[in-house]
């Protein structure tokens, strides 16, 4: 049976998928169904250190279809760079076969949206007070901050951002981001 | 009315016309006009009536800082006419007018001014009865004093709110601000340059040297790292250089590493009889009119030149074709410019009724239609003061001076004292006929300030509170210096000692819509939101969450009663996904829970579920739940829906001190949960495919099992809130739809019925279960709840233990008790008082009519001595009648707890 | 909007943080007198000086110590609780 995600047919958000946009100036996509996996707590660092290129806290390393996020000393997660997530599944399977450390359950607790395009930064300035200028927020930086009234995690992706946040608030956040996109059109 | 030819009117586009109405009359202006400049071009100088005496008023400075330029535009009140760009089709009306602007019926009030002394309202409207102010006077005065009118049927407007960051923020786009911005940009900084006018240039834009502005602005436009915000007012400068920038319906919050304040100076009015008449203009006002808007201020002007700037304006007026009847100079013996007459002295009075017709100087009357006042300036101290600047006074220039030492903020241009010319302090004796206004917003005259001091209010802040000086829309920009001089003179102190009242944000009016920003209400949905809708649920918000209140439509109490009966007689299922869930794991997990909760978890076997009670350090109950031990080092812990964010935060807080090797994740949104409850509950779960044995022997009460059910990984717990046989299945939220579908299918043969929140509340109350926060308050101890069994006597420490011991010795006079009511009795509401010998001893915390028992039931705090089976307690119902409840010493329903043990 | 520098996340608006009160050293709960324990619970020192406080950065759920002047609000240092003396 298919998994239920917040924006999918039977999910919590109902018919909000039509609020996603794919414009030339700005695009909003739902990546919640994309594979991801994380460990948190005692042993997380040791488990991942043997398998991936481990970044510093609040930094990302990227390679081989995988982004590795270090959210804390003992809080590490990997994000797939595509919908299939081939490098994520073997990691998860290896862990499930011989669990050490503890799942961070982020694939269940967090939704994952991607806001991109030349106007993504202008839109994002309406959603967060975090300093989005390149000098303060570099390519490999992670911002654990407030975004669209939610505690969340913000990453740079191309000319935009990925944001991970409370999955139960997905409908509200999609509505808020869409409203910010509309305001960018009105106010510039 | 014709305009001055170019190059006058640099801001207007003469090729196009805009039509608008003012007070119902049709006018035309040009793009680039403000409302006030377009009206002035049409000879309409009067814009409003004054606040108290309904005197005719117009714009004095055309700078957007005046008091009496607020007009109503369509549904929007309090629009600054001398700042707001004219738009085609605007419908503009004057404010504070009774009748019409030209013939205001309340203008007669001005004649009774001597009966309206300062402090009039405080003294006069005290009687005749105790609440006469509220009931009699205030409504009448409000009807008279209304400024604008809020259009209740105004359309929604789009508002915008954003946060920007910059290395350098420059407030003020005059020459000093532009220079600071260019310098910072050249040094590699990212700059935001802010100005309240539609174009940069500051005072240079409205002088004959305006051409120089073009080159500066072109340089700014060419600088890639300068973002320019015109039409934008910095209304507040907050800690760590956090700036509020208001741009009509937009609010931009700007964080800057460095702030340069270059907001320049504010021209000051001169004090004389009728100094408020339309046609009295400041030097800067005249220049703005001519150079920006191409409007001549009149045909024949008198210039008051206390500031040498007056002489230059006189030359500019003559160059524009305006006759200069005289220059009035307070300094004796000044040389007259060629072809002009200089009169030594002060202006005693302006003549005229609704516009200036002449001036009186030393007993002489000089006819004119324009009186230009050059009486000196003060630096715009509001933002520097918010940044921490200290204010002094320089006798030579007659100006306030600013001293700012706050790191990261500096002053430039006029604020830093540049360009200050000596202007002596004028004489401040009150005119015998008054109308020598100090504060144009509040209609305060010289004698009003002096009287306030005579009343004993010698400190400036008290003068302000008594007289209301500086409280109006212009926030003391034109009154502060004169007030300080008057108070200094009357109390024998220096102007610097008196200073100004505290400057607080906002420095200029802001629209509430922009402050509020786009509408936002938090909203969380469970994974099954759409499933509930499909089943006909009525969804209601519970905190941020939306939950099914009941299923179906029709008679609601019948629907709720049917849901209750389904659980008591058959089986029901409740979506408990909003229940707080946490995973506590690590080598010290059990030690951590032992410190945090009142029961013993170190000794809890794997596979057991144990009640959790959390106290704060005062020994007050703050949360409860259960802990299911998944493994030696892993617990699955529940918390109440409303409290889980705090419990999660508290766990991080305590462990910052305890430093145990433990990790906590908040699974609330990530795990769904379903409580299957009722006599047939086992029939439902046993029918599900999976590897968990749900039999009574294999799965006893207060145990947990983890495995696969319908192909979905679950934690199953035998716990419940209803008192019936219950299984609670929790699973990852992404699989909730699959598990829900399997449960409904498995339950169909035994009539499984989903039930909502209201039925759940009744079921739990029938069982006498408490809800923390509803049935407890900020002082509730476990003893008051009868929860002594849940508090470990053996553990050396848990949060609240020591305070609990002390409170136990003090004793408590109240207990939470279960009460029943006669079947036909009136039921009290929640919070109704429990009385004992007429004195309140407690209150009702939960109450409902029990469909199962057929009578009312309640939980209530009562006196501890009454907490015995069969005692009767008196409660005052909402109707005011006394009702009687009977104490029962056990759960209302199934007192022997047999049903949940099936 | 004041800035506060989180040792893990850097300078952020103070609205991203939760104040958790001054660092208080608990007396031994088994040996302390009632008066000592009440003093620990309710007797905050409140001197016009720097005090150590617990703060939590809510998006990362990270608790740290700030040395803040309770008169001026100046924060002179923030650090991980593990570095507390």
């Amino acid at each position: 049976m298919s998994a239920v995600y917040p924006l999918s047919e039977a999910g919590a958000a109902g018919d909000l998928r039509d609020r996603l946009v794919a414009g030339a100036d700005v695009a909003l996509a739902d990546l919640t169904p994309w594979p991801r996996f994380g460990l948190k707590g005692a042993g997380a660092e040791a488990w991942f250190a043997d398998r991936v290129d481990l970044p510093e806290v609040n930094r990302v390393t990227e390679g081989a279809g995988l982004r590795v996020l270090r959210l804390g000393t003992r809080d590490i997660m990997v994000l797939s760079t595509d919908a299939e997530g081939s490098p994520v599944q073997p990691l998860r399977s290896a862990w499930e076969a011989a669990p050490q450390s503890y799942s961070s359950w982020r694939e269940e607790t967090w939704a994952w949206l991607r806001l991109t395009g030349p106007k993504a930064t202008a839109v994002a300035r309406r959603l967060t007070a975090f300093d989005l200028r390149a000098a303060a927020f570099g390519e490999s930086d992670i911002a654990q901050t407030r975004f669209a009234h939610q505690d969340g995690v913000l990453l740079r992706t191309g000319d935009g951002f990925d944001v991970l946040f409370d999955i139960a608030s997905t409908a509200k956040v999609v509505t808020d981001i869409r409203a910010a996109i509309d305001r960018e059109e009105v106010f510039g | 009315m014709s305009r001055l030819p170019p190059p006058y009117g640099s801001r207007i586009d003469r090729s196009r016309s805009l039509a608008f109405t003012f007070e119902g009359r049709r006018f035309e202006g040009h793009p680039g006009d403000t409302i006030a400049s377009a009206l002035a071009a049409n000879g309409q100088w009067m814009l409003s009536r004054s606040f108290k005496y309904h005197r005719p008023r117009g714009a004095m400075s055309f700078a957007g800082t005046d008091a009496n330029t607020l007009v109503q535009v369509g549904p929007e009140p309090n629009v600054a006419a001398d700042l707001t760009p004219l738009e085609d089709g605007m419908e503009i009306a004057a404010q504070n007018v009774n009748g019409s602007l030209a013939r205001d019926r309340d203008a007669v009030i001005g004649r009774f001014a001597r009966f309206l002394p300062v402090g009039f309202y405080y003294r006069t409207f005290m009687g005749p009865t105790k609440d006469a102010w509220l009931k009699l006077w205030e409504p009448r005065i409000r009807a008279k004093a209304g400024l604008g009118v809020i259009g209740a049927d105004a359309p929604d407007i789009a508002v915008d709110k954003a946060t920007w960051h910059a290395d350098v923020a420059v407030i003020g786009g005059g020459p000093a601000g532009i220079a600071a911005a260019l310098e910072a940009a050249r040094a590699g900084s990212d700059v935001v340059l802010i100005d309240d006018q539609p174009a940069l240039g500051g005072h240079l834009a409205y002088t004959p040297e305006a051409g120089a502005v073009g080159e500066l602005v072109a340089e700014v436009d060419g600088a890639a790292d300068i973002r320019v915000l015109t039409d934008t007012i910095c209304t507040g400068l907050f800690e760590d250089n956090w700036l509020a920038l208001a741009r009509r319906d937009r609010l931009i919050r700007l964080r800057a590493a460095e702030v340069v304040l270059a907001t320049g100076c504010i021209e000051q009015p001169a004090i004389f009889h009728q100094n408020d008449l339309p046609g009295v203009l400041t030097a800067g006002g005249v220049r703005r009119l001519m150079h920006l808007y191409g409007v001549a201020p009149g045909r024949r002007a008198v210039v008051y030149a206390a500031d040498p700037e007056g002489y230059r304006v006189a030359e500019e007026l003559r160059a524009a074709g305006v006759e200069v009847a005289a220059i009035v100079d307070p300094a004796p013996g000044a040389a007259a410019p060629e072809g002009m007459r200089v009169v030594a002295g002060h202006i005693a009075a302006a003549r005229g009724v609704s516009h200036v017709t002449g001036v009186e100087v030393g007993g002489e009357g000089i006819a004119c239609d324009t009186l230009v006042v050059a009486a000196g300036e003060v630096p715009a101290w509001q933002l520097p003061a918010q940044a921490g600047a200290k204010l002094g006074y320089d006798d030579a220039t007659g100006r306030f001076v600013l001293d700012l030492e706050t790191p990261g903020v500096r002053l430039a241009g006029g604020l830093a004292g540049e360009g200050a010319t000596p202007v002596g302090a004028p004489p401040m004796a009150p005119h015998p006929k008054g109308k020598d206004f100090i504060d144009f917003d509040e209609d305060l005259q010289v004698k009003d300030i002096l009287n306030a001091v005579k009343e004993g209010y010698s400190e400036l802040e008290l003068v302000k509170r008594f007289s209301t000086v500086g409280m109006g829309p212009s926030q003391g920009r034109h009154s502060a210096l004169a007030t300080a001089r008057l108070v200094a003179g009357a109390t024998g102190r220096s102007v610097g000692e008196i200073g100004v009242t505290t400057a607080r944000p906002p420095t200029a009016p802001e629209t509430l819509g922009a402050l509020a920003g786009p509408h936002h209400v938090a909203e969380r949905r469970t994974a099954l939101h759409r499933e509930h809708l499909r089943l006909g649920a009525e969804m209601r918000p519970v905190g941020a969450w939306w939950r099914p209140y009941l299923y179906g439509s029709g008679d609601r109490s019948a629907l709720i009663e049917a849901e209750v009966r389904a659980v008591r007689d058959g089986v029901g299922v409740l979506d408990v996904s909003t229940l707080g869930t946490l995973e506590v794991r690590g080598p010290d997990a059990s030690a951590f829970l032992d410190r945090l909760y009142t029961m013993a978890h170190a000794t809890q076997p794997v596979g057991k579920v144990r009640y959790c009670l959390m106290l704060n350090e005062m020994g007050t109950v703050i949360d409860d739940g259960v802990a299911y031990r998944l493994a030696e080092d892993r617990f699955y812990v529940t918390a109440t829906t409303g409290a889980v964010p705090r419990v999660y935060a508290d766990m991080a807080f305590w462990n910052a001190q305890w430093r145990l090797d433990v990790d906590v994740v908040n699974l609330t949104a990530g795990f769904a949960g379903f409580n299957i409850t009722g006599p047939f509950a086992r029939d439902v779960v046993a029918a599900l495919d999976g590897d968990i044995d749900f039999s009574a022997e294999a799965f006893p009460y207060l145990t947990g099992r983890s495995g696969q059910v319908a192909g979905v990984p679950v934690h199953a717990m035998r716990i419940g809130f209803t008192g019936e046989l219950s299984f609670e299945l929790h699973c990852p939220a992404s699989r909730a739809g699959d598990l829900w579908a399997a449960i409904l299918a498995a339950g169909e043969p035994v009539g499984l019925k989903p039930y909502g929140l209201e039925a759940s509340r009744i079921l739990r109350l029938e069982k006498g279960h408490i809800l923390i926060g509803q049935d407890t308050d900020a002082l509730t101890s476990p003893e008051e709840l009868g929860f002594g069994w849940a508090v470990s006597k053996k553990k050396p420490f848990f949060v609240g233990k020591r305070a609990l011991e002390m409170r136990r010795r003090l004793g408590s006079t109240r207990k939470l008790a279960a009460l029943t009511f006669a079947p036909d009795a009136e039921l009290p509401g929640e919070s109704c008082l429990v009385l004992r010998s007429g004195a309140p001893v407690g209150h009702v915390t939960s109450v409902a009519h029990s469909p199962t028992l057929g009578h009312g039931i309640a939980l209530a705090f009562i006196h501890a001595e009454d907490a015995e089976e069969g005692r009767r307690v008196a409660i005052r119902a909402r109707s005011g009648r006394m009702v009687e409840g009977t104490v029962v010493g056990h759960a209302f329903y199934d007192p022997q707890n047999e049903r949940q043990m099936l | 909007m004041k800035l506060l520098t989180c040792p893990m996340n850097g300078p952020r608006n103070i609205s991203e943080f939760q104040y958790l009160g001054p660092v208080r050293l608990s007396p031994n709960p088994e040996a302390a007198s009632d008066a000592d324990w009440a003093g620990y619970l309710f007797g905050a020192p409140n001197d016009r000086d720097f005090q150590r406080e617990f703060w939590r950065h809510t998006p990362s759920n990270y608790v740290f110590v700030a040395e803040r002047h309770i008169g001026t609000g100046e924060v002179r240092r923030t650090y991980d609780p593990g570095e507390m003396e």
Side-chain angles (χ1 to χ4, degrees):
Chain A
M1 267 190 148
S2 66
V4 178
Y5 280 102
L7 291 187
S8 64
E9 181 60 34
D15 290 322
L16 284 170
R17 277 177 302 170
D18 57 11
R19 299 205 186 167
L20 300 173
V21 284
D25 284 341
V26 60
L28 177 65
D30 173 30
L31 310 188
T32 307
W34 286 22
R36 55 200 184 281
F37 166 67
L39 299 178
K40 183 168 173 281
E45 188 179 7
W47 194 89
F48 272 111
D50 291 343
R51 292 167 174 85
V52 297
D53 180 11
L54 209 54
E56 299 288 300
V57 171
N58 278 328
R59 306 275 285 174
V60 186
T61 53
E62 185 165 353
L66 206 62
R67 284 205 283 178
V68 184
L69 278 58
R70 185 82 174 266
L71 299 167
T73 317
R74 305 197 303 182
D75 185 358
I76 296 141
M77 77 182 293
V78 292
L79 301 180
S80 172
T81 54
D82 59 39
E84 282 69 44
S86 40
V88 172
Q89 302 297 10
L91 279 173
R92 181 196 293 277
S93 302
W95 181 78
E96 282 171 351
Q100 288 167 34
S101 188
Y102 310 93
S103 172
S104 62
W105 288 112
R106 260 65 184 264
E107 65 277 23
E108 297 293 341
T109 54
W110 283 350
W112 179 5
L113 298 176
R114 176 167 291 174
L115 179 71
T116 48
K119 292 202 170 161
T121 302
V123 171
R125 280 202 295 254
R126 295 179 159 83
L127 297 161
T128 183
F130 181 71
D131 187 352
L132 298 168
R133 292 176 300 162
F137 188 36
E139 289 285 323
S140 309
D141 287 339
I142 290 174
Q144 303 190 54
T145 187
R146 300 278 298 168
F147 190 93
H149 304 283
Q150 303 293 324
D151 285 338
V153 172
L154 199 62
L155 318 172
R156 280 200 181 279
T157 300
D159 58 359
F161 310 94
D162 279 12
V163 55
L164 299 125
F165 59 92
D166 170 40
I167 198 167
S169 301
T170 307
K172 177 65 187 158
V173 169
V174 168
T175 305
D176 282 354
I177 295 177
R178 184 55 199 265
I181 291 170
D182 293 345
R183 285 191 281 133
E184 165 61 23
E185 277 176 27
V186 174
F187 292 93
Chain B
M1 190 173 179
S2 65
R3 304 241 186 179
L4 296 169
Y8 293 106
S10 62
R11 210 173 261 176
I12 55 168
D13 172 5
R14 295 167 202 254
S15 67
R16 290 198 293 137
S17 285
L18 304 174
F20 66 101
T21 64
F22 179 69
E23 292 287 283
R25 283 177 60 205
R26 196 172 175 283
F27 293 99
E28 283 192 355
H30 294 297
D33 263 326
T34 63
I35 292 170
S37 73
L39 286 169
N42 285 283
Q44 176 68 46
W45 296 89
M46 197 200 301
L47 293 173
S48 69
R49 290 279 176 167
S50 72
F51 185 61
K52 196 162 141 194
Y53 303 132
H54 287 251
R55 288 178 58 82
R57 293 276 168 83
M60 288 197 309
S61 69
F62 288 85
T65 56
D66 285 10
N68 300 121
T69 61
L70 298 183
V71 294
Q72 177 98 21
V73 178
E76 191 181 354
N78 304 328
V79 175
D82 56 342
L83 193 63
T84 305
L86 183 70
E87 289 171 26
D88 199 44
M90 270 183 166
E91 290 178 11
I92 303 157
Q95 293 185 169
N96 206 35
V97 166
N98 180 7
S100 74
L101 179 62
R103 295 172 172 275
D104 185 327
R105 285 192 285 274
D106 286 342
V108 69
I109 293 173
R111 287 195 230 145
F112 299 105
R114 67 194 176 91
F115 302 116
L116 291 168
V118 64
F120 173 72
Y121 291 90
Y122 297 145
R123 300 154 185 277
T124 310
F125 298 103
M126 303 302 289
T129 57
K130 203 177 90 190
D131 48 0
W133 167 252
L134 276 179
K135 293 218 168 114
L136 177 65
W137 298 115
E138 197 192 356
R140 291 183 184 201
I141 291 166
R142 282 210 183 279
K144 278 269 178 270
L147 285 171
V149 179
I150 296 172
D153 52 355
D156 272 357
I157 51 163
V159 293
D160 194 24
K161 204 177 204 178
T163 307
W164 290 15
H165 293 260
D167 298 328
V168 179
V170 181
I171 321 290
I178 290 176
L182 289 171
E183 188 191 330
R186 277 185 218 113
S189 292
D190 163 22
V191 182
V192 178
L193 175 59
I194 297 123
D195 196 84
D196 63 350
Q197 294 293 314
L200 296 177
H203 69 264
L204 272 192
Y206 48 85
T207 57
E209 298 82 42
V213 173
E215 290 164 36
L216 280 173
V217 173
E219 211 177 328
V220 169
D221 289 342
D225 284 339
I226 303 180
R227 283 174 281 176
V228 177
L229 281 173
T230 49
D231 287 320
T232 304
I233 303 176
C234 179
T235 56
L237 188 156
F238 301 88
E239 263 182 305
D240 294 322
N241 289 348
W242 176 257
L243 305 170
L245 308 177
R247 195 181 210 196
R248 293 196 207 114
D249 297 329
R250 283 181 88 171
L251 179 71
I252 295 168
R253 283 120 12 138
L254 173 63
R255 172 84 69 189
E258 193 194 339
V259 171
V260 180
L261 295 174
T263 47
C265 294
I266 306 162
E267 289 179 291
Q268 295 299 294
I271 312 300
F272 51 85
H273 177 62
Q274 294 230 86
N275 61 346
D276 63 330
L277 275 183
V280 177
L281 299 168
T282 66
V286 165
R287 285 176 155 169
R288 288 184 184 93
L289 269 175
M290 297 195 300
H291 298 292
L292 298 180
Y293 307 111
V295 177
R299 293 194 173 82
R300 185 177 151 92
V302 169
V303 178
Y304 177 61
D307 185 321
E309 203 63 15
Y311 284 86
R312 283 189 282 278
V313 172
E315 293 288 2
E316 288 173 35
L317 281 165
R318 183 159 64 178
V322 179
E323 182 191 345
V324 177
I327 297 173
V328 180
D329 190 333
E338 168 123 18
M340 287 195 201
R341 179 182 166 221
V342 171
V343 181
H346 282 283
I347 295 196
R351 288 177 178 168
V353 175
S354 59
H355 200 89
V356 172
T357 56
V359 299
E360 288 172 19
V361 186
E364 180 193 0
I366 306 171
C368 65
D369 62 6
T370 304
L371 172 52
V372 183
V373 172
E377 301 177 320
V378 294
W381 73 91
Q382 286 89 351
L383 286 174
Q386 287 175 30
K390 290 190 176 60
L391 192 109
Y393 181 75
D394 178 5
D395 284 312
T397 57
R399 279 192 188 197
F400 289 129
V401 287
L402 295 165
D403 179 19
L404 179 64
E405 288 173 8
T406 308
V409 190
R410 68 184 176 88
L411 307 177
L415 286 185
E418 282 172 25
T421 46
V423 178
M428 301 287 277
H431 190 279
K433 287 197 256 173
K435 302 293 182 305
D436 41 6
F437 289 96
I438 296 291
D439 187 316
F440 297 82
D441 312 63
E442 305 281 343
D443 271 359
L444 295 170
Q445 308 159 68
V446 171
K447 66 174 185 223
D448 293 325
I449 305 299
L450 296 177
N451 286 343
V453 176
K454 277 186 201 151
E455 292 279 351
Y457 300 104
S458 55
E459 295 306 319
L460 186 66
E461 292 283 0
L462 300 179
V463 170
K464 173 176 175 173
R465 278 153 185 75
F466 185 66
S467 68
T468 70
V469 66
M471 289 190 189
S474 68
Q475 288 287 290
R477 279 185 287 262
H478 298 123
S479 62
L481 178 61
T483 306
R485 283 171 172 165
L486 282 171
V487 175
T491 60
R493 286 174 293 176
S494 72
V495 176
E497 271 177 274
I498 302 298
V500 293
T501 55
T502 307
R504 295 186 180 86
T507 57
E510 299 171 313
T511 61
L512 290 177
L515 288 185
H519 187 64
H520 172 78
V521 179
E523 180 184 328
R524 303 179 85 194
R525 296 176 176 184
T526 74
L528 291 182
H529 192 83
R530 286 209 14 169
E531 295 304 312
H532 296 313
L533 293 176
R534 199 169 290 169
L535 290 166
E538 177 187 325
M539 305 299 283
R540 283 204 186 174
V542 183
W545 287 102
W546 283 78
R547 298 193 65 181
Y549 179 74
L550 55 79
Y551 292 85
S553 55
D555 178 350
R556 304 162 111 232
S557 40
L559 288 167
I560 291 164
E561 191 169 329
E563 289 181 5
V564 170
R565 288 200 188 287
V567 172
R568 293 283 177 235
D569 302 335
V571 60
V573 59
L574 178 72
D575 180 359
V576 294
S577 301
T578 62
L579 182 72
T581 46
L582 304 152
E583 196 176 277
V584 177
R585 64 274 180 98
D588 294 334
S590 66
F592 181 69
L593 294 184
D594 264 359
R595 285 167 171 249
L596 206 56
Y597 289 102
T598 58
M599 289 182 79
H601 297 280
T603 55
Q604 178 182 347
V606 171
K608 286 276 189 195
V609 174
R610 195 159 277 180
Y611 182 68
C612 293
L613 190 66
M614 185 182 279
L615 309 182
N616 66 14
E617 285 197 283
M618 317 308 161
T620 293
V621 174
I622 54 170
D623 198 40
D624 71 348
V626 296
Y628 163 24
R629 192 163 199 168
L630 300 169
E632 276 302 314
D633 59 347
R634 277 173 75 207
F635 290 83
Y636 186 74
V637 180
T638 72
T640 49
T641 301
V644 68
R646 192 187 62 193
V647 169
Y648 180 60
D650 278 357
M651 286 179 169
F653 173 46
W654 283 116
N655 206 42
Q657 300 167 68
W658 298 338
R659 316 301 293 168
L660 295 173
D661 191 351
V662 64
D663 179 73
V664 183
V665 291
N666 185 349
L667 294 177
T668 305
F671 266 61
F674 309 113
N675 194 284
I676 300 150
T677 181
F680 300 148
R682 188 172 286 114
D683 300 75
V684 179
V685 291
L688 292 162
D689 290 334
D691 56 12
I692 296 176
D693 183 349
F694 287 102
S695 69
E697 304 72 41
F699 201 158
Y701 188 61
L702 285 180
T703 59
R705 300 288 180 260
S706 295
Q708 301 273 327
V709 167
V712 176
V714 299
H715 295 318
M717 293 179 281
R718 256 198 80 180
I719 53 171
F721 216 35
T722 65
E724 303 294 340
L725 172 66
S726 303
F727 293 91
E728 203 158 292
L729 304 185
H730 290 227
C731 74
S734 65
R735 307 300 306 279
D738 300 337
L739 184 59
W740 176 255
I743 291 169
L744 291 190
E748 204 177 355
V750 288
L752 175 70
K753 187 174 168 62
Y755 66 98
L757 200 56
E758 187 55 26
S760 169
R761 284 175 178 153
I762 293 169
L763 288 161
R764 72 96 195 174
L765 189 57
E766 287 181 343
K767 193 62 196 163
H769 285 309
I770 62 157
L771 290 175
I772 309 286
Q774 162 122 12
D775 300 303
T776 66
D777 60 25
L779 289 172
T780 307
S781 69
E783 273 79 16
E784 289 174 345
L785 300 173
F787 277 18
W789 58 269
V791 179
S792 166
K793 310 283 185 295
K794 295 182 193 149
K795 289 199 292 183
F797 174 82
F798 57 83
V799 175
K801 180 173 195 268
R802 187 69 171 78
L804 201 58
E805 288 164 1
M806 290 163 71
R807 288 176 67 175
R808 213 174 268 149
R809 289 199 296 276
L810 289 170
S812 171
T813 58
R814 63 174 194 170
K815 281 238 169 198
L816 190 74
L819 305 178
T820 60
F821 298 86
D824 54 352
E826 175 184 357
L827 289 184
E830 283 169 13
S831 315
C832 282
L833 290 180
V834 176
L835 302 176
R836 194 176 200 247
S837 309
V841 291
H843 65 279
V844 175
T845 61
S846 290
V847 63
H849 175 82
S850 163
T852 311
L853 304 169
H855 58 74
I857 55 176
L859 295 176
F861 280 109
I862 63 170
H863 197 280
E865 288 168 14
D866 290 337
E868 276 175 40
E869 175 96 36
R871 286 284 190 101
R872 284 156 187 260
V873 297
I875 302 166
R876 184 154 61 209
R878 295 244 168 92
S879 64
R881 284 189 286 275
M882 298 303 295
V883 295
E884 200 170 62
T886 306
V887 177
V888 294
H890 50 74
F892 303 107
Y893 176 74
D894 184 25
Q896 312 308 312
N897 295 330
E898 284 160 353
R899 300 179 66 91
Q900 67 195 23
M901 307 304 288
L902 285 175
Chain C
M1 178 78 73
K2 194 175 168 62
L3 284 170
L4 182 60
T5 301
C6 170
M8 186 170 116
N9 295 283
R12 298 297 173 85
N13 283 357
I14 201 142
S15 57
E16 287 193 14
F17 298 90
Q18 177 191 7
Y19 175 63
L20 295 167
V23 172
R24 297 170 299 148
L25 294 177
S26 152
N28 180 343
E30 290 176 277
S33 67
D34 283 2
D36 285 349
W37 196 261
Y40 158 69
L41 287 181
F42 302 110
N46 203 31
D47 294 325
R48 193 185 157 86
D49 198 352
F50 283 92
Q51 72 173 13
R52 291 188 302 178
E53 298 170 343
F54 282 116
W55 288 76
R56 172 175 167 262
H57 181 244
T58 63
S60 59
N61 194 37
Y62 173 70
V63 175
F64 60 93
V65 179
E67 290 180 2
R68 190 180 68 93
H69 195 285
I70 65 169
T72 64
E74 180 196 343
V75 177
R76 70 177 172 197
R77 199 159 84 92
T78 58
Y79 48 92
D80 188 88
E83 296 168 33
M84 245 192 313
E85 291 108 42

